Amino acid sequence: MERKIALITGATSGIGEACARKFAEGGYDLILTGRNVDKMKAVERQARELGADVLPLIFDVRDRKAATAAVNSLAGKWAVVDVLINNAGLALGLEKEYEGDIDDWETMIDTNIKGLLTMTRLVVPGMVERNKGHGINVAAVGGDAAYAGGNVYCATKAAVKALTDGLRIDVAHTAVRVTNVKPGLVETNFSVIRFHGDNERADNVYKGIKPLTGDDIADVALYAANAPEHVQVAEVLVLATHQANGTVIDRKQD
């Protein structure tokens, strides 16, 4: 049986790395994108050990020319992407909106929104032409309602929800499926990046509660991808047991 191909952006850490591992275990071959060569080599090695054939692509999704060149270079079996996981994304800072860092804003908007749009524009037309494929976008609970300090980040994830819903409408005449996965607290390097390398501050985000892991979110993505062809898992909100939404978290579990 021919193995399906999943293209995963932001595959060198966190949820993206977990998706690479889970989809490799699930029998997929992988196109992995990321910016860090050394981390990519480690993820690639692990995926190969799990039986996957892997094509690593080193580029930043914010760089439209690099993304276009990378996708256009795909040939042979790699040109047929069955699952696109738009995972690349980040949060930076928790400042009030009127005190925020404009460079941080641009990085979040260019990665979380424009990068996702670029990859969608490059990959989904092939799915539509083949009348087969699946786009999975990783948003966040913060896209449902803003929380203190989340302003621009939450706005970008609200945009991911709207763009995912819009794409689902646009491909409804085809057999292409579209899924939006919205994680709550996931313990990855997400908070370390948000706080510009302040590990102590990042650790405090998860104190008093058992958070989700990247594997938990990867399991959801794999389930959606492997659902029967007539089943479209449109949207999944995944929270830790003691998290009710983006702002209500019971931290008395330690």
Side-chain angles (χ1 to χ4, degrees), residues 87 112 135 205-206 242:
N87 163 76
N112 301 358
V205 173
Y206 310 106
H242 295 282

Side-chain angles (χ1 to χ4, degrees), residues 10 18 37 61-62 80 93 138 176 202 207 213:
V37 174
V61 295
R62 293 179 296 170
V80 181
V138 179
V176 176
K207 278 191 174 179
T213 67

Side-chain angles (χ1 to χ4, degrees), residues 11-13 17 20 32 39-48:
T12 55
S13 65
E17 180 182 359
L32 305 178
K39 288 183 178 180
M40 178 64 78
K41 288 179 179 178
V43 177
E44 178 186 358
R45 181 170 57 252
Q46 186 177 40
R48 289 189 183 279

Side-chain angles (χ1 to χ4, degrees), residues 4-252:
K4 291 184 177 180
I5 292 174
L7 191 163
I8 305 168
T9 69
T12 55
S13 65
I15 293 172
E17 180 182 359
C19 283
R21 184 169 56 254
K22 290 288 183 176
F23 275 73
E25 290 174 341
Y28 286 75
D29 288 335
L30 306 174
I31 302 170
L32 305 178
T33 86
R35 297 176 298 166
N36 187 299
V37 174
D38 291 336
K39 288 183 178 180
M40 178 64 78
K41 288 179 179 178
V43 177
E44 178 186 358
R45 181 170 57 252
Q46 186 177 40
R48 289 189 183 279
E49 290 173 353
L50 293 169
D53 193 5
V54 182
L55 177 64
L57 299 175
I58 303 298
F59 67 90
D60 189 329
V61 295
R62 293 179 296 170
D63 186 337
R64 188 185 305 166
K65 288 184 178 179
T68 300
V71 174
N72 286 346
S73 74
L74 298 177
K77 74 172 187 177
W78 300 113
V80 181
V81 176
D82 297 286
V83 181
L84 167 64
I85 303 178
N86 275 314
N87 163 76
L90 76 168
L92 292 170
L94 270 175
E95 294 83 8
K96 296 181 186 298
E97 191 169 322
Y98 59 85
E99 297 175 337
D101 185 313
I102 294 177
D103 289 337
D104 284 352
W105 294 353
E106 290 185 344
T107 299
M108 287 186 283
I109 291 168
D110 289 349
T111 305
N112 301 358
I113 301 176
K114 292 182 180 179
L116 178 145
L117 277 171
T118 294
M119 295 305 297
T120 299
R121 182 64 180 85
L122 290 170
V123 175
V124 172
M127 295 181 177
V128 172
E129 183 179 350
R130 295 187 297 274
N131 195 35
K132 187 176 183 180
H134 196 157
I136 300 176
N137 293 337
V138 179
V141 62
D144 288 346
Y147 52 76
N151 43 75
V152 174
Y153 170 73
C154 292
T156 66
K157 291 305 185 177
V160 171
K161 172 176 169 52
L163 291 170
T164 308
D165 290 346
L167 180 62
R168 194 179 304 110
I169 293 167
D170 290 339
V171 300
H173 65 291
T174 76
V176 176
R177 300 181 295 181
V178 181
T179 299
N180 187 27
V181 181
K182 304 185 298 184
L185 281 176
V186 183
E187 189 169 12
T188 63
N189 63 340
F190 175 87
S191 291
V192 175
I193 293 171
R194 170 169 239 165
F195 299 127
H196 299 283
D198 188 333
N199 288 283
E200 182 177 355
R201 192 178 179 192
D203 288 342
N204 286 333
V205 173
Y206 310 106
K207 278 191 174 179
I209 186 172
K210 184 175 182 178
L212 302 168
T213 67
D215 283 352
D216 295 325
I217 306 308
D219 282 337
V220 173
L222 184 61
Y223 173 83
N226 286 344
E229 290 186 0
H230 71 286
V231 177
Q232 179 172 218
V233 180
E235 185 170 287
V236 185
L237 174 63
V238 191
L239 302 174
T241 297
H242 295 282
Q243 178 179 15
N245 55 34
T247 58
V248 179
I249 302 169
D250 184 69
R251 297 184 182 274
K252 301 174 183 176

